[in-house]
Amino acid sequence: MLFINADYLRHVAEKILKKLGSEAEEAAIVAEHLITANLCGHDSHGIGMLPIYVEKVSLGRLKPNTPVKCLKEDGSILIFDGQRGYGQRTASVAMDAAIARCKETGLALMVLRNAHHIGRIGSYGEQSIRAGLISIHFVNVVDHDPVVVPFGGRHARFSTNPICIAIPGTDSTAPVLLDMATSTIPLGKARVAMNANKKVEDNRIVDADGNPTNDPSVLFHTPMGALVAFGLHKGSGVALLCELLAGVVGGGGTIQPENERMGGIINNMLVLILNPRRIGDSDWMNREFDALINYVKNSPPYHLDNPVMVPGDPERKAYAERLKNGIPLSRSAWDRIIQAGEAVGVLKGELENMIS
Ligand code: NAD
């Protein structure tokens, strides 16, 4: 395992993204998003996505230097088209606009359609948190074959459809940021495990016949296996709601097979943003928030070494550790990044020198 400094990895990502066609500002936004995902412990949405982006750009499924387009503003409702541009750029700009609207109205609904992979949804929840606002995100993933089996089925019908709920913290308590795939693990975590020659835990994956397996490679060859939705029938229901809210209500379309699948990773996101200070007394809310989080975290740990955490804690812990000790990357994941760089004209030596 290699442990690579976050700043170096950010330079590597920016260099490859620029060669892939992005102007400097876009390359910086996407690189920052990817490396923050690594720092938060979500390698599935980190720099390891670059080889996939190189492929998607070469196929015309992802379009560098494409800004988000506002389709409609109707009071507190904002609707955007990501136009297949880098989702990290289009989603963050659309979120800024929705946050500004929420500051005026107290409540905003933002829809982003047709964005290429928007990455770690938590980063958009963090935008709301920085503005002192709460946000609730429903996301679906279309343009490719489904990868998640619905509860009780054998064959995939959903993608990993993430949800995120972000609530700002107080002076004494950190924010709560629930950010998760509705599959037991995201596809990227299976890819990271496969690249590192590791098995995944039980009840995460089924093979092409719908039987349980621990082998992540079944997701990357035909006949294809599938991921399992989290929480049995409940998670399967939440995955469906992502399709219904982001895909149907938001208007971006769903994974149903009449819709064209061109082989990109298209995210549609429906977000509700609200200002808690327009609802209740801030001092009371802060005290109640502190007391509740303390109460939850003070539950005696089942395993003495693992104190109870709340959503957002694992990412803060990983961030501090990885900033200090470097981001772990398997040799094969690093080799794939080098190959992706070479494919767009970045010399292997240039990248190797950057980490040595
Ligand atoms: P995860 O399972 O690692 O964590 C899910 C949530 O649980 C997080 O909020 C985390 O803080 C919390 N958590 C984890 N361990 C905990 C513990 N011990 N105690 C209390 N809380 C805990 O996340 P995931 O499902 O693997 O998703 C990883 C990333 O993938 C997310 O950032 C998600 O947005 C992203 N994703 C994106 C897409 C896309 O299409 N763009 C699709 C799927 C997933």
Side-chain angles (χ1 to χ4, degrees), residues 159-236:
S159 196
T160 53
N161 298 354
I163 57 167
C164 172
I165 302 178
I167 305 198
T170 66
D171 288 345
S172 44
T173 308
V176 169
L177 183 65
L178 178 74
D179 170 29
M180 51 178 263
T182 48
S183 47
T184 44
I185 52 171
L187 190 61
K189 279 193 182 155
R191 171 177 44 80
V192 170
M194 181 183 72
N195 289 344
N197 264 329
K198 287 187 180 158
K199 299 281 176 209
V200 298
E201 291 165 298
D202 291 346
N203 304 320
R204 304 297 196 258
I205 297 180
V206 294
D207 65 19
D209 298 319
N211 296 314
T213 175
N214 301 91
D215 176 8
S217 73
V218 300
L219 296 165
F220 302 97
H221 58 66
T222 46
M224 224 179 101
L227 296 163
V228 172
F230 84 98
L232 306 172
H233 53 290
K234 302 177 188 182
S236 196

Side-chain angles (χ1 to χ4, degrees), residues 257-317:
E258 288 164 32
N259 292 327
E260 191 179 17
R261 293 175 185 161
M262 292 166 65
I265 311 170
I266 294 296
N267 280 138
N268 301 298
M269 174 162 72
L270 179 141
V271 192
L272 272 168
I273 309 182
L274 54 112
N275 185 346
R277 284 176 300 282
R278 299 276 290 266
I279 302 170
D281 176 69
S282 293
D283 291 341
W284 180 87
M285 269 190 205
N286 288 348
R287 276 197 306 278
E288 196 67 11
F289 181 92
D290 290 346
L292 174 68
I293 302 295
N294 270 331
Y295 181 60
V296 171
K297 291 175 80 158
N298 283 337
S299 173
Y302 185 73
H303 295 292
L304 284 180
D305 294 341
N306 292 330
V308 171
M309 295 189 282
V310 295
D313 283 344
E315 287 75 14
R316 283 185 280 273
K317 191 165 170 245

Side-chain angles (χ1 to χ4, degrees), residues 15-24 26 57 64-65 86 344:
K15 205 173 185 65
I16 294 176
L17 287 160
K18 280 193 221 162
K19 283 278 188 182
L20 192 53
S22 289
E23 284 158 9
E26 178 172 276
V57 170
N65 301 321
Y86 277 103
V344 293

